[in-house]
Amino acid sequence: MKIFLDTASLREIEELRGFIDGVTTNPTLVAKEGRPFLELVEEICRLVEGPVSAEVTALDTAGMLAQARQLARLADNLVVKIPATWEGLAAVRELSGQGIPTNVTLVFSPTQALLAAKAGASYVSPFVGRIDDRAGDGMELVAEILEIYRNYGFDTQVIVASVRHIRHVVEAALLGAHIATMPYQVAKKLLDHPLTDLGLERFLADWKGVPPAHRPW
Ligand code: G3P
């Protein structure tokens, strides 16, 4: 499973650059950075080798297409993020015909994901955390989307999004999701573990008990 960082922070991307396969952003994350949008996205695309999703803000198909073309000109690894609306999917159909990759976002139902795949989306982003926040089951949605895509041989990739904790990442991987995108704080926890730190501390303390003459370093 690929690991994407869900952020627009260059500092966070820089720190985890060697460990991540791509980046997803959204208008909320971009707003936090206080930078001109296109300039920021272009920098992120330069920093990351894999796909970088940047979202349109227009609500009508023509407006989305105009913004999508502007975004797509920024870099070869740019993926246009488009909401799961009728207007959005009309834009996805058009962009997919032109070879511009798309990520259909704000996906909360299997039928939205089915229509997104039929429109030619490269990626779909089910928001598992926001579903769980409302006492739903975000992972159940991911499982259903994956099964539907398998049934019909769609090559649209599933990005498990709105990840809140590392259990979401484990469950996404167990289900065979293609990608999980997560905030920096969650990505850090994929490796950090207090028992690893404690164990290392103890090993190094015990190592001091080996006489200096017996230690090669
Ligand atoms: O980028 C889309 C998604 O990951 C947002 O997550 O935490 O705002 O629900 P969240």
Side-chain angles (χ1 to χ4, degrees):
M1 185 176 72
K2 289 185 175 160
I3 304 286
F4 285 9
L5 211 53
D6 197 26
T7 186
S9 158
L10 292 170
R11 186 191 52 77
E12 292 178 358
I13 295 166
E14 196 124 25
E15 185 183 325
L16 293 175
R17 191 154 66 144
F19 301 94
I20 57 168
D21 304 295
V23 165
T24 51
T25 69
N26 62 39
T28 307
L29 296 169
V30 166
K32 284 188 199 157
E33 299 306 307
R35 294 264 319 269
F37 178 46
L38 295 181
E39 188 185 289
L40 177 63
V41 170
E42 198 175 10
E43 270 188 61
I44 296 174
C45 289
R46 266 205 304 270
L47 207 54
V48 179
E49 264 186 43
V52 174
S53 292
E55 194 158 337
V56 296
T57 52
L59 295 177
D60 62 303
T61 306
M64 287 185 200
L65 286 172
Q67 293 180 354
R69 291 193 186 106
Q70 242 183 308
L71 286 167
R73 272 198 294 272
L74 294 177
D76 288 345
N77 55 342
L78 191 290
V79 175
V80 182
K81 215 170 173 187
I82 294 193
T85 59
W86 294 110
E87 294 78 5
L89 292 196
V92 168
R93 185 174 300 285
E94 179 106 10
L95 292 167
S96 126
Q98 295 167 15
I100 297 177
T102 53
N103 172 0
V104 173
T105 188
L106 291 164
V107 167
F108 293 97
S109 79
T111 51
Q112 289 177 322
L114 173 61
L115 289 188
K118 284 166 70 66
S122 323
Y123 305 94
V124 285
S125 293
F127 276 28
V128 296
R130 292 193 196 181
I131 294 174
D132 290 0
D133 288 347
R134 292 174 165 262
D137 187 343
M139 283 301 160
E140 182 57 36
L141 171 62
V142 172
E144 288 182 352
I145 295 172
L146 287 168
E147 190 173 335
I148 290 168
Y149 285 4
R150 268 195 301 268
N151 286 347
Y152 298 101
F154 287 118
D155 49 21
T156 304
Q157 296 195 30
V158 177
I159 303 182
V160 174
S162 184
V163 161
R164 299 270 188 270
H165 45 70
I166 57 172
R167 194 64 214 165
H168 274 152
V169 182
V170 173
E171 284 167 11
L174 287 171
L175 287 174
H178 306 85
I179 299 150
T181 190
M182 65 207 72
Y184 172 85
Q185 294 78 358
V186 174
K188 289 291 281 182
K189 288 192 184 127
L190 295 180
L191 190 63
D192 292 348
H193 199 291
L195 289 180
T196 303
D197 297 341
L198 198 64
L200 191 57
E201 211 175 286
R202 203 167 296 158
F203 284 153
L204 292 181
D206 291 345
W207 179 250
K208 287 190 182 130
V210 177
H214 293 182
R215 286 192 229 150
W217 48 75

